[in-house]
């Protein structure tokens, strides 16, 4: 039986494009240098679980918060799952980093704070089902 669990990720900003109003970063990191990545809470999200969670998030939510708190201040416009398999299929060298890349569009006040460097991160949340380690191998 699969149960739904909430996932919340903190995204460190990789790039701000003020001309398009976009803030870009990695929403989920699955692997670094080809090895499983564990976040500060000790959580690891395998690539197949990330794909399922990202699909649900993009279909049903897409909300973004500024600096991980408060009400929704924007939405995720783009999300691209960069798994090891997808990177190989597209001929992309990720330097060993795999996960979910996103671009968010925030209101003008929040975008200005990202552009100035005052804000350095944002968060998204979604749901995923439980899985067995054997199922993801």
């Amino acid at each position: 039986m699969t149960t739904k669990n909430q996932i919340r990720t903190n995204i460190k900003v990789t790039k701000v494009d003020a001309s398009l109003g976009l803030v870009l970063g990695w929403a989920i990191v699955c692997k670094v240098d080809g090895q499983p990545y564990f976040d500060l809470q000790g959580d690891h999200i395998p690539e197949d679980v990330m794909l399922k969670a990202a699909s649900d998030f993009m279909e049903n939510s897409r909300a973004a918060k500024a600096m991980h708190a408060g009400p929704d201040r924007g939405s995720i416009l783009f999300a691209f799952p960069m798994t090891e398999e997808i990177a190989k299929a597209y001929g992309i060298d990720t330097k060993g980093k795999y996960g979910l890349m996103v671009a968010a569009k925030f209101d003008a006040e929040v975008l200005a704070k990202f552009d100035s460097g005052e804000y350095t991160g944002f968060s998204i949340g979604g749901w995923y089902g439980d899985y067995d380690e054997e199922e993801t191998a």
Side-chain angles (χ1 to χ4, degrees):
M1 180 170 112
T2 300
T3 58
K4 292 268 188 166
N5 296 297
Q6 188 169 22
I7 184 171
R8 180 174 169 227
T9 67
N10 296 323
I11 302 161
K12 183 176 180 184
V13 173
T14 303
K15 177 176 174 42
V16 176
D17 186 326
S19 68
L20 293 175
L22 297 176
V23 180
L24 299 96
W26 288 91
I28 297 173
V29 176
C30 300
K31 293 181 182 178
V32 173
D33 295 327
Q35 299 300 312
Y37 173 79
F38 292 86
D39 65 17
L40 295 175
Q41 292 78 35
D43 296 326
H44 165 65
I45 302 172
E47 290 179 330
D48 63 330
V49 174
M50 176 271 298
L51 279 168
K52 290 175 189 173
S55 295
D56 182 74
F57 176 78
M58 291 304 293
E59 184 176 1
N60 298 305
S61 182
R62 300 186 302 123
K65 299 181 181 298
M67 292 303 292
H68 324 300
D72 296 345
R73 298 294 299 268
S75 63
I76 303 299
L77 295 185
F78 303 106
F80 191 86
M82 184 59 72
T83 65
E84 195 166 359
E85 184 177 302
I86 290 170
K88 285 179 186 172
Y90 280 94
I92 298 171
D93 180 4
T94 67
K95 308 290 188 230
K97 189 172 188 177
Y98 304 98
L100 180 66
M101 301 178 298
V102 298
K105 186 158 192 149
F106 290 94
D107 62 46
E109 177 186 350
V110 172
L111 179 63
K113 291 180 179 183
F114 279 113
D115 198 32
S116 72
E118 180 180 345
Y119 282 1
T120 60
F122 59 99
S123 62
I124 63 172
W127 298 89
Y128 68 96
D130 283 339
Y131 64 95
D132 294 327
E133 285 293 325
E134 296 93 37
E135 292 178 13
T136 63

